[in-house]
Amino acid sequence: MDTNSQTNETKKAPKSTYKTLEQQVSDMEMAFSNAGMDGIKEVMLTVGYTPERIELMQAGVTKVRTLMQAKVKEDADQKAEQEVFDKKKEAISTPFVNHRKLVRIQFSADVHTSVSLQLNGEIPQAYPAWKEMTTNFYTQISNQPALLAKTSTIGITAAVATAQLAALTDLEATKSNLKKETAEAQAATQARDEAFDDIHPQYIEYIKFAKVLLADSPLLKALGV
């Protein structure tokens, strides 16, 4: 019999010590909620954990929980605004790509128009450069009557150019809203993290004292240990 193989098969995988933020907050809520239990509060009082101190730590965890919920809301607001922005941008980009292809064919031998409409090269992926190119394309067509007369024959009329430019203006407003929502989501994350970083070390210290003072006591389970 291959005893080494048997031993390897019966070995248990190491238990993961990783905990999500939700799990860590739940652990703190459980510990401080049960800190007032008989058999725990008297022992922990000997190292300075008065009811008032426990209450303050509970308040600290409650603050984290509240800020976690606020972050969820801000993340949802940001995601919703991002979706609005993406849809509006796509509504502009799709016809722009097609219009650019048509104009490239129509003015393939016209260097001036190619330069004026920025027809050479690829469409930029970065938003600022994309917006600049798209805006320039329709602005040049709108402002040059001779050019507009030619593009109108392939479906890029004054009305089309005007509509695209109006959509770009609206998109920029949406972009500003998205920046605002993104900033608020980042601020919510920072506030939550700061609150957590304030209370978690206090919880860790409390648990360390509890492990010493309540060693081998079943009451440790009430503290999540």
Side-chain angles (χ1 to χ4, degrees):
M1 178 183 292
D2 187 346
T3 56
N4 288 333
S5 176
Q6 184 180 27
T7 301
N8 290 336
E9 289 177 359
T10 56
K11 282 183 178 179
K12 292 182 178 179
K15 184 178 180 180
S16 174
T17 58
Y18 173 79
K19 289 188 177 182
T20 64
L21 180 64
E22 172 63 35
Q23 289 172 322
Q24 292 181 79
V25 172
S26 294
D27 287 347
M28 290 191 289
E29 287 174 331
M30 176 181 180
F32 296 143
S33 176
N34 292 333
M37 289 177 57
D38 291 340
I40 296 178
K41 63 180 180 180
E42 299 87 354
V43 173
M44 297 304 290
L45 185 61
T46 64
V47 287
Y49 287 99
T50 63
E52 293 76 18
R53 187 176 177 186
I54 295 296
E55 186 176 340
L56 284 174
M57 291 192 292
Q58 283 180 307
V61 179
T62 299
K63 180 180 180 181
V64 175
R65 177 65 72 184
T66 299
L67 291 172
M68 286 172 67
Q69 294 166 347
K71 173 177 161 46
V72 170
K73 177 187 178 300
E74 294 299 341
D75 285 348
D77 289 346
Q78 180 192 19
K79 185 176 181 180
E81 195 65 30
Q82 182 69 59
E83 185 176 358
V84 171
F85 174 81
D86 290 343
K87 286 182 178 179
K88 287 184 176 182
K89 184 174 181 291
E90 183 64 24
I92 298 169
S93 181
T94 298
F96 170 60
V97 169
N98 191 52
H99 289 162
R100 194 166 184 260
K101 289 178 180 178
L102 294 175
V103 170
R104 269 180 162 176
I105 296 171
Q106 187 179 35
F107 296 99
S108 60
D110 188 333
V111 176
H112 179 273
T113 299
S114 293
V115 174
S116 177
L117 298 183
Q118 299 178 321
L119 300 180
N120 298 319
E122 300 297 322
I123 297 175
Q125 295 298 313
Y127 174 74
W130 171 86
K131 177 179 177 292
E132 187 280 328
M133 175 181 280
T134 309
T135 301
N136 176 75
F137 182 87
Y138 293 108
T139 299
Q140 294 291 347
I141 291 174
S142 296
N143 293 344
Q144 298 183 46
L147 179 59
L148 177 60
K150 292 180 179 179
T151 61
S152 293
T153 64
I154 56 173
I156 309 174
T157 63
V160 169
T162 299
Q164 283 287 80
L165 288 170
L168 282 161
T169 299
D170 180 60
L171 181 66
E172 189 62 17
T174 302
K175 181 68 172 178
S176 295
N177 290 336
L178 178 58
K179 288 181 179 178
K180 174 178 174 291
E181 294 297 345
T182 300
E184 290 177 355
Q186 292 172 341
T189 300
Q190 182 176 349
R192 179 207 63 186
D193 291 348
E194 289 176 353
F196 178 84
D197 290 343
D198 179 60
I199 190 59
H200 193 250
Q202 298 178 53
Y203 160 76
I204 292 297
E205 184 177 80
Y206 177 86
I207 293 299
K208 286 180 178 179
F209 276 123
K211 285 181 177 179
V212 174
L213 298 175
L214 297 169
D216 302 322
S217 170
L219 288 171
L220 281 175
K221 291 183 179 181
L223 299 178
V225 179

